């Protein structure tokens, strides 16, 4: 073609005009910290494993999940999911059912027999773990994956800690627990049961351990001063729940009163129902809003017929099982104050669920420790005042949940690993949190949460069958796909499509995008239309 | 035929792409091999809605016609920012003649293709609202009347933007432009004036008429893709915000376009042979205030005291659209 | 083949032989018979492989032509007077884009006041648009020029306007030789566009050119017209070889070799002029005439050669440069730069006023005596003008001039001499 001068132009000639020089702000891709990751006490990379689950790659999702937490099937049943509370989707319609998906993945792994990858190399170091509860098991798992030889010494007859002896079967079937514990042990972790450590330093020397992680938990029931007749049947929740594991079930009678407002109180009350109590009553000194127990458990308990007496304290218990109860009222500061009004309550047994203390006797001979409020203080590296002695779980100051314990185990393992080679572990700095206002939620399809099917009421109260069923594959997938992927690019192509200057380069599936700064004019449309807030504008340097 | 929205896949069909969908279920824009008919290096303002709309429409048309396409452009922003000697951003065969004759030139191109036995080469005429609703109106009507085989695309940014934001017959009521200043007893553009070219196009009973918006890419691509194989005159009217002329933030272009649709002020619909056949429903209806308050060209409505009378009149227009085009439900 | 046919129809047949691919038509007197003829030929398939489009205005007509030509089709349209003005923007555009469109102008006066009869005001209004302008003297030349026009346009990539006096040529029945298809095919090869809209080779046509390159673009357009000065005679010679007759070229001289007085004109009036020249030669005057065919590009050298030795030049203009005089005179004057002779501009035939042999005879006699004004209006009714000027001087609100004159003149029929 003989193009007339200036009137007719060749294609591609505009690429000589680098409109990037117009910018005063430039967009940059960044990863922000999803609030779920941020909230998870176990530090799970939730958004990351949901990303894999979304495309149906459950094995990859499980592997990502278990990089942080070895017990997903358990956690999917017992975790209180602070991730869901923090989930940004909760501000859109309802939080993503992260817990349900975790349970689904955990169950899939058990069903398909997925195993953990063995450690790449042996370090030659030996680490002792005291206590085979969630914290100890987690620490053992992580230490083993880092290549250390681990031995767990557990005082009880079975591993599991509170998971076995505190959480009832109807919440956590024992087959699931056993399978996940076994999978950890299969990595090559030694376990010695029925041995209580009384002198930790001695035990360490005997076994030539280079470091130790203590996770003995809090198994001593707290007491309150309640005058009782000698024949009054007053028990503590810890021993009641523990005894559920054995063949002899506790005899609580037909009318059971549980004193306390935590999850343990509820566990006991619901257990009592299943054991055949016709009346299972919780007495709690404050109101429902102030009850430390999780509300969904309260709801389930109420559905099952557990009664709750709010704003009440127990003054004494007579031989025949009559309890004297004083009514309370909350003052302006929210503290319960006695009203001077009394009533009576008949009970065959009273179970005290007033909290738990730690058995610290194994630390008696250890110098340099700081013990306050009945728990051992540890540094940010989970180490106690004694070098090489680390601790976690319910025995250190913390919120007492299984998830927190698991998180402690992982954290401690990393620090122990560093300490063993004379280094310190410095966790990488966290990205800024992906707040809700950074998202463009228009782009997410309307989808409310899948409700997990629950066992019918009649069946629930008569058996110890698992109450809350899991999700099947279609609704687990659905649930995973409700994730907004806060702060992390999930390749929706919006930036690539929305740039008027064609200044976004698509690198290919799995490779995300790059800005073509030669042509980007800095308009900011990409930032506005990124659904998950994975782009931000920064001032251009002149 | 209606566009089938994909059932829930996280972002479904709201986003440009979706890694969970097959490639054929994603938009043309998501494709790494999209034509980029309007390539980088053009001189549009930051955040220009028209640049976006043009690439969306022409890329979809290129895919639909297997890249056998020629485009005729009227004088205006799109033409000026895309072809200043020595640079052109167009990757396709393209001609610019005059302001008011895009439709006629396109008719000529289509006739030539026919006579040369190259009917598979399809013709698109494109222009802004000025070049379409005003100065190009005669040629547009002539093209429709003859049912010439041209797809005419109007990029409506509601004023003569290229010459400095003067009022056109597409300027909405109350809008400030350089020739309808926001002063006096009736600030901004006069109520009761204006031309609805999509409806006029329908009156010509041409095979296909549709309105679209840059805020709804899938809908826009669907309509272009549907229009392309039809023989005869087709008209697509695309709403494109102009950050400069509307006084909105460049980063808000799509948001503003979305609000125009969601408020009912810019209805999305299709018509065939003069009969209305379908509308794209509003997803989350909003009052017109949300749309108007983002644009400085309507700022005088919100200066104290708020001009609730005029805002109510605008709301009435939106409500009327919702009813007439069945935009809810 | 010899035919006795209407001028318009002959032109239509010639166009048809040129195998146009797209014809767009909007009716305006006096060209309409041309496109009507072509339309019918397309419908009967006598003219095959041609798209005939009824457009909605002349602006659309030229625009459709631009599109068709840019897409590589041989394109034709026709207009006159008001229509040419209405498409003015597009006329410039076609030349600027270098599209080889051929257009017939059925020369007609421009209003107001509205007038459908012949003069050259319309084509004169577009003389600087960048089109080549050829003026036909006879019906034969009218049809011949169109064949040459396509060839010329396509070789240069420049549009060509063929000007044919309205009614005088368009509506006159005359004997013409309509060429055979094979003859035309031998002379006019298929159109190979210099540039085209082609998906296989995409380009952007019609860029915005700023100060940095605009002068050069315009110079190149100027240069193209200068090249046409060489090409036009060449194609005319070739035409003679193929078709056996002289037609076109830059200009034709008639009995100018020893002439003291030379008359210059465009178009059909040359026929009358030549008859008067013969009459006056018989009476002993040394007089001749030059018929200019190519008005754009203006044949400066050829005109200088033809006119340079005369004592006086009389330019008959069928158009008026209001307040100044004539258009043709400008070119003639320029061609005689440096040569001293008397030049007279005569405005004649405006709005179809007949130019009679008697009037011309008298005029040329006066010219020979150098008793002409610089600018003369031939056969002007001085009384009528004086009356009207007096009437207007009396009051401000005197009403429309044209109507007042008509009232005074009386019926048209009574005016035919």
């Amino acid at each position: 073609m003989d193009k007339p001068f200036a009137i007719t132009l060749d294609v591609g000639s505009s690429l000589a005009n680098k409109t990037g020089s117009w910018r005063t702000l430039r967009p940059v891709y960044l990863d922000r910290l999803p609030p779920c990751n941020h909230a998870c006490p176990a530090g799970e990379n939730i958004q990351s494993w949901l990303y894999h689950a979304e495309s149906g790659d459950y094995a990859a999702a499980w592997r990502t999940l278990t990089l942080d937490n070895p017990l997903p099937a358990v956690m999917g049943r017992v975790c209180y999911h602070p991730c869901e509370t923090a989930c940004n989707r909760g501000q859109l319609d309802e939080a993503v059912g992260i817990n349900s998906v975790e349970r689904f993945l955990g169950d899939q792994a058990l069903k398909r027999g997925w195993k953990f990858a063995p450690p790449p190399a042996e370090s030659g170091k030996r680490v002792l773990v005291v206590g085979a509860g969630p914290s100890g098991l987690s620490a053992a798992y992580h230490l083993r994956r880092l290549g250390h030889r681990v031995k767990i010494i557990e005082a009880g007859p079975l591993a599991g800690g509170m998971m076995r002896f505190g959480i009832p079967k109807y919440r956590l079937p024992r087959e699931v627990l056993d399978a996940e514990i076994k999978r950890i042990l299969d990595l090559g972790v030694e376990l010695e049961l029925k041995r209580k450590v009384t002198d930790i330093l001695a035990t360490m020397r005997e076994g030539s351990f280079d470091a130790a992680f203590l996770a003995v938990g809090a198994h001593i029931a707290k007491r309150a001063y309640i005058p009782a007749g000698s024949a009054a049947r007053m028990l503590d929740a810890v021993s009641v729940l523990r005894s559920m594991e054995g063949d002899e079930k506790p005899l609580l009678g037909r009318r059971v009163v549980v004193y306390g407002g935590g999850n343990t109180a509820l566990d006991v009350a619901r257990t009592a129902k299943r054991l055949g109590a016709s009346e299972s009553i919780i007495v709690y000194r404050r109101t429902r809003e102030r009850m430390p127990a999780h509300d969904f458990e309260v709801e389930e308990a109420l559905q099952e017929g557990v009664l709750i007496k709010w704003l009440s304290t127990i003054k004494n218990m007579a031989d025949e099982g009559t309890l004297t109860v004083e009514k309370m009222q909350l003052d302006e500061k929210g503290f319960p104050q006695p009203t001077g009004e009394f009533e009576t309550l008949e009970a065959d047994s009273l179970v005290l669920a007033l909290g738990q203390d730690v058995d610290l006797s194994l630390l008696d001979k250890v110098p340099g420790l700081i013990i306050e409020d009945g728990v051992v203080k540890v540094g940010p590296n989970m180490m106690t005042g004694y070098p090489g002695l680390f601790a976690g779980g319910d025995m250190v100051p913390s919120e007492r949940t299984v998830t927190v314990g698991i998180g402690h185990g992982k954290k401690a393992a990393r620090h122990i690993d560093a300490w063993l080679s004379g280094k310190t572990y410095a966790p990488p700095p966290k990205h800024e949190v992906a707040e809700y206002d950074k998202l463009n939620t228009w782009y997410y399809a309307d989808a409310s949460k899948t409700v997990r099917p629950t066992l019918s009421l009649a069946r629930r109260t008569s058996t110890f069958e698992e109450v809350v069923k899991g999700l099947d594959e279609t609704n687990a997938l659905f649930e995973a796909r409700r994730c907004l992927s806060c702060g992390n690019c999930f390749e929706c192509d919006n930036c690539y499509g929305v740039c008027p200057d064609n200044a976004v380069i698509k690198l290919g599936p799995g490779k995300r995008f790059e800005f073509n700064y030669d042509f980007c004019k800095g308009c900011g449309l990409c930032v506005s239309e990124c659904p998950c807030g994975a782009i931000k504008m920064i001032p251009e340097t002149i | 035929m209606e566009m089938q929205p994909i059932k829930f896949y996280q972002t479904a069909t709201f986003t440009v792409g979706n890694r969970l969908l097959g490639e054929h279920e994603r938009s043309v824009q998501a494709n790494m091999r999209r034509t980029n008919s309007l390539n980088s290096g053009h001189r549009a303002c930051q955040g220009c809605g028209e640049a976006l709309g043009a690439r969306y429409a022409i890329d979809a048309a290129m895919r639909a016609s297997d890249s056998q396409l020629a485009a005729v452009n009227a004088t205006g922003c799109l033409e000026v920012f895309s072809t200043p000697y020595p640079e052109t951003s167009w990757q396709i065969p393209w001609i610019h003649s005059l302001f008011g004759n895009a439709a006629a030139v396109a008719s000529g191109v289509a006739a030539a293709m026919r006579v040369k036995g190259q009917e598979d080469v399809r013709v698109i005429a494109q222009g802004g609202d000025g070049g379409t609703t005003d100065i190009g109106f005669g040629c547009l009507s002539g093209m429709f009347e003859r049912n010439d085989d041209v797809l005419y695309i109007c990029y409506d940014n509601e004023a003569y933007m290229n010459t400095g934001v003067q009022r056109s017959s597409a300027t909405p009521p109350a809008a400030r432009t350089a020739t309808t200043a926001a002063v006096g007893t009736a600030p901004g553009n006069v109520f009761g004036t204006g031309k609805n070219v999509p409806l006029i196009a329908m009156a010509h009973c041409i095979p296909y008429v549709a309105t679209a918006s840059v805020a709804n890419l899938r809908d826009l691509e669907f309509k272009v893709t549907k229009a392309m194989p039809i023989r005869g005159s087709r008209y697509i009217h695309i709403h494109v915000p102009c950050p400069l002329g509307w006084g909105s933030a460049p980063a808000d272009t799509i948001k503003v376009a979305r609000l125009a649709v969601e408020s009912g002020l810019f209805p999305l619909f299709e018509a065939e042979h003069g009969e209305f056949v379908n509308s794209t429903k509003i997803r989350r209806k909003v009052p017109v205030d949300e749309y108007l308050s983002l644009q400085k060209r309507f700022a005088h409505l919100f200066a104290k005291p708020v001009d609730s009378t005029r805002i109510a009149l605008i709301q009435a227009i939106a409500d009327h659209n919702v009813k007439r085009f069945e935009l809810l439900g | 083949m010899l035919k006795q046919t209407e001028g318009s129809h002959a032109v239509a047949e010639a166009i048809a032989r040129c195998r146009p691919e797209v014809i767009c038509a909007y009716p305006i007197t006096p060209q309409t018979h041309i496109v009507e003829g072509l339309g019918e030929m397309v419908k009967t398939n006598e003219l095959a492989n041609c798209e005939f489009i009824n457009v909605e205005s002349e602006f659309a007509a030229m625009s459709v032509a631009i599109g068709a030509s840019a897409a590589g089709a041989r394109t034709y349209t026709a207009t006159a007077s008001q229509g040419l003005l209405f498409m003015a923007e597009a006329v410039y555009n076609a030349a600027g884009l270098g599209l080889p469109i051929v257009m017939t102008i059925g020369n007609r006066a421009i209003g107001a006041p509205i007038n459908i009869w012949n003069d050259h005001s319309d084509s004169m209004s577009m003389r600087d648009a960048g089109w080549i302008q050829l003026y036909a003297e006879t019906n034969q030349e009218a049809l011949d020029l169109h064949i040459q026009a396509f060839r010329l346009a396509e070789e240069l990539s420049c549009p060509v306007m063929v000007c044919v006096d309205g009614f005088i040529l368009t509506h006159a029945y005359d004997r013409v030789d309509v060429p055979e298809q094979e003859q035309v095919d031998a002379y006019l090869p298929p159109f190979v566009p210099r540039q085209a809209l082609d998906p296989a080779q995409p380009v952007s046509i019609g860029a915005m050119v700023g100060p940095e390159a605009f002068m050069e673009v315009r110079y190149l357009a100027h240069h193209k017209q200068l090249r046409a000065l060489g090409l036009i005679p060449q194609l005319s010679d070739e035409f003679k070889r193929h078709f056996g007759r002289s037609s076109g070229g830059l200009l034709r001289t008639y009995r100018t070799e020893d002439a003291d007085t030379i008359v210059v004109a465009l178009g059909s009036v040359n026929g009358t002029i030549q008859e008067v020249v013969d009459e006056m030669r018989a009476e002993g005057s040394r007089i001749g005439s030059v018929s200019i065919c190519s008005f754009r590009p203006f044949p400066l050298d050829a005109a200088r050669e033809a006119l340079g030795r005369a004592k006086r030049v009389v330019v008959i203009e069928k158009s008026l440069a209001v307040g100044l005089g004539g258009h043709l005179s400008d070119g003639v004057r320029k061609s005689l730069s440096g040569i001293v002779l008397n030049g007279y501009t005569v405005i004649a035939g405006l709005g179809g006023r007949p130019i009679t042999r008697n009037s011309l005879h008298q005029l040329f006699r006066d010219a020979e005596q150098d008793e002409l004004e610089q600018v003369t209006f031939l056969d002007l009714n001085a009384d009528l003008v004086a009356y009207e000027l007096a009437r207007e001087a009396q009051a401000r609100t005197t009403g429309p001039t044209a109507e007042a004159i008509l009232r005074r003149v009386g019926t048209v029929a009574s005016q035919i001499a």
Side-chain angles (χ1 to χ4, degrees), chain A residues 206-387:
Chain A
E206 281 154 23
S208 310
F209 291 106
D210 302 298
F213 177 69
L214 309 179
V216 302
H219 295 276
I220 304 175
K222 280 198 170 117
R223 293 253 154 193
Y225 179 65
I226 299 176
S230 50
R233 192 164 163 70
M234 189 155 39
L235 311 158
D236 74 82
V238 175
S239 48
V240 166
L241 289 173
R242 184 190 303 278
S243 64
M244 287 300 300
E245 284 310 294
D247 296 320
E248 294 273 327
K249 299 289 178 268
L251 298 168
L252 298 175
R254 282 199 322 279
R255 286 194 308 254
V256 179
V257 171
V258 181
Y259 193 30
N263 294 301
T264 314
L266 281 170
D267 283 344
V268 173
R270 292 170 74 184
T271 300
K273 267 271 164 191
R274 282 160 172 78
L275 289 175
S278 52
E279 260 176 34
S280 181
I281 306 167
I282 292 177
V283 172
Y284 176 57
R285 63 202 179 101
R286 295 200 283 183
T287 55
R288 182 167 176 171
E289 297 76 53
R290 300 196 173 270
M291 217 177 177
H294 288 90
D295 202 71
F296 74 87
E297 294 217 50
V298 175
E299 197 49 50
E300 279 175 15
L302 289 172
Q303 282 172 6
E304 288 166 8
V306 169
L307 301 170
I308 307 185
K309 276 192 83 59
W310 310 103
L311 291 167
S312 307
T313 53
I314 299 181
K315 306 314 293 177
N316 60 47
M317 186 176 192
D319 275 339
E320 319 83 56
T322 308
L323 298 170
T324 309
V325 171
E326 180 170 14
K327 283 214 194 26
M328 311 293 276
Q329 72 188 21
L330 296 182
D331 63 18
E332 333 69 58
K333 296 199 210 74
F335 289 110
Q337 300 299 336
T339 58
E341 287 172 46
F342 295 88
E343 54 183 347
T344 55
L345 196 57
E346 297 301 319
D348 293 323
S349 57
L350 169 65
V351 181
L352 302 179
L354 302 169
Q356 285 132 240
D357 281 328
V358 184
D359 181 351
L360 293 167
S361 56
L362 79 164
L363 294 172
D364 284 343
K365 301 212 186 79
V366 182
L369 301 178
I370 301 175
I371 298 177
E372 238 174 62
D373 293 332
V375 288
V376 185
K377 289 198 93 118
V378 289
N381 58 356
M382 305 307 286
M383 195 162 78
T384 63
Y386 188 86

Side-chain angles (χ1 to χ4, degrees), chain B residues 117-128:
Chain B
Q118 290 175 293
E119 274 141 319
D120 55 328
V121 178
R122 309 308 305 283
V123 184
I124 286 186
Q126 45 183 16

Side-chain angles (χ1 to χ4, degrees), chain A residues 1-13, chain C residues 96-97 194-196 201-204 206-207 209 217:
Chain A
M1 214 181 281
D2 177 17
K3 297 184 292 293
F5 170 70
I7 290 164
T8 302
L9 306 173
D10 268 325
V11 297
S13 40
Chain C
L97 294 176
R194 176 182 177 181
Q195 61 172 342
Q201 285 188 77
V203 284
S204 296
V209 177
V217 171

Side-chain angles (χ1 to χ4, degrees), chain B residues 47-96:
Chain B
C48 172
E50 185 157 342
L52 207 51
R55 191 183 75 230
Y56 285 173
I58 305 299
D59 277 1
M62 284 290 274
R63 214 242 320 242
S65 67
D66 213 19
S67 301
Q68 297 298 298
L69 187 66
V72 177
N73 220 126
T75 308
C77 269
L78 183 60
E79 167 262 324
V80 167
F81 73 60
S82 65
T83 54
Y85 167 80
E87 297 143 16
T88 175
S89 322
W90 293 101
Q91 310 267 61
I92 58 165
W94 180 95
I95 181 169
H96 157 241

Side-chain angles (χ1 to χ4, degrees), chain C residues 127 298 300 317 321 324 326-335:
Chain C
R127 66 190 184 281
F298 194 87
L300 290 169
E317 304 252 17
L324 190 60
H327 302 108
L328 182 53
S329 307
D330 290 346
V332 170
R333 175 60 57 195
K334 185 159 178 217
S335 73

